[in-house]
Amino acid sequence: GISESEVFLGNTTTPLKITIIDSSLKKIKTQQITLDRLDLPFQSVQVSIISPNFFVYDGTVACFYKGSTKDWKAILKYKGDTFISVAESLDSTTIAFRGFDNQNSKSILGSYSISDKKINYNGNLLQKQKDGIFDSDGLLHFDVLSQRLIYVYRYRNQYFLTDKKLQLESRGNTIDTISTAQIKVEAITSHNQQKKSVPPVVVNKSSAVYNNLLFVNSMIMGRFEPEDMWEDNSIIDVYDLNNNSYLYSFYIYPVSGHKLRSFRVSGNILYALIGNSLVTYKLNDKQYKK
């Protein structure tokens, strides 16, 4: 998560440990999240923070906890049977997520309201191309300033926007040319499952959203892009979500031989995880404010 003054980093091996770094990258501290219930069979705990609130969830267990950054204590708010592969907090009482539609065997977007204790689904948002699961994999974001949810497909040049109630506002395309996910899926009949038979072509590796701007780390080389620049650096394409138009691109250079892993944007600052480093970049004010 990220706030105006701090960056919150999760930990893959100790998921309830949060590292907090101030925006100047000079002060660092850690906090331990405590849960009111520890009797669930956790397998993949993740944390989503919109300060001063945060959610802890485990998609395989299908549970949501809610807490405050004031004391880092979280209380179980939901326990069900809905598989959750990714989630993003919208406000202090609502969390959006990508789940699984058992009836139609495909991924689906939904939201859970703590105040209403109710799950809301919209089965028309994620568009199936092949299997409905791998082909609709993607990145889920919430733009606090515009109060819109943005979903960026990982394996095709598409994204879409919704309001907080998961009502579609618009669909857009990135400047990459792969409109159909290049995925081969084979069935595992003994377990009634599917798996990717070959590594798919990744179009959008990572992305970020801030104030109606979409930043996409594209994995496809541009038509007029020098091959050596594309191989050595990470390209960020920027889009205006008000009219779904492409604006400009810029490079993020490697650090100690490592390329960009993930990033967030807040104001005119881009925070990037590169290898084991957290790096900040100040975006060009004149170009950015346009």
Side-chain angles (χ1 to χ4, degrees), residues 32-62:
Q32 188 73 23
I33 294 175
T34 57
L35 306 179
D36 68 331
R37 281 189 57 181
L38 294 171
D39 57 331
L40 302 180
F42 300 113
Q43 296 184 45
S44 180
V45 175
Q46 298 188 62
V47 182
S48 176
I49 300 174
I50 293 187
S51 186
N53 303 292
F54 69 89
F55 287 92
V56 177
Y57 69 95
D58 189 314
T60 54
V61 181

Side-chain angles (χ1 to χ4, degrees), residues 49-194:
I49 300 174
I50 293 187
S51 186
N53 303 292
F54 69 89
F55 287 92
V56 177
Y57 69 95
D58 189 314
T60 54
V61 181
C63 64
F64 290 121
Y65 292 76
K66 183 200 170 185
S68 168
T69 56
K70 295 180 180 179
D71 57 15
W72 295 98
K73 296 179 181 179
I75 298 173
L76 182 66
K77 296 294 184 180
Y78 171 80
K79 174 66 183 78
D81 55 3
T82 301
F83 176 76
I84 301 163
S85 50
V86 65
E88 182 80 3
S89 49
L90 307 184
D91 52 41
S92 61
T93 62
T94 312
I95 186 165
F97 63 90
R98 185 181 67 219
F100 185 70
D101 182 353
N102 289 301
Q103 183 175 356
N104 298 299
S105 298
K106 68 173 187 176
S107 295
I108 189 172
L109 287 188
S111 63
Y112 177 71
S113 170
I114 291 177
S115 55
D116 298 334
K117 296 183 179 180
K118 182 180 179 181
I119 286 184
N120 170 49
Y121 289 108
N122 187 335
N124 298 318
L125 293 174
L126 295 177
Q127 295 178 321
K128 179 179 178 179
Q129 289 186 334
K130 295 184 178 181
D131 66 305
I133 302 173
F134 297 118
D135 63 2
S136 59
D137 187 16
L139 305 147
L140 186 64
H141 303 287
F142 181 66
D143 184 7
V144 176
L145 296 181
S146 68
Q147 293 288 290
R148 295 194 292 188
L149 196 70
I150 297 92
Y151 190 87
V152 182
Y153 286 102
R154 191 180 303 275
Y155 303 121
R156 48 177 134 152
N157 64 350
Q158 299 167 7
Y159 62 88
F160 61 83
L161 293 76
T162 79
D163 62 16
K164 291 179 67 175
K165 295 182 179 180
L166 299 185
Q167 296 304 302
L168 181 68
E169 291 192 358
S170 65
R171 295 186 186 272
N173 293 90
T174 65
I175 57 175
D176 299 306
T177 58
I178 299 177
S179 59
T180 301
Q182 298 184 14
I183 294 176
K184 291 185 178 181
V185 179
E186 64 180 31
I188 306 175
T189 54
S190 59
H191 293 79
N192 193 26
Q193 295 176 342
Q194 292 181 324

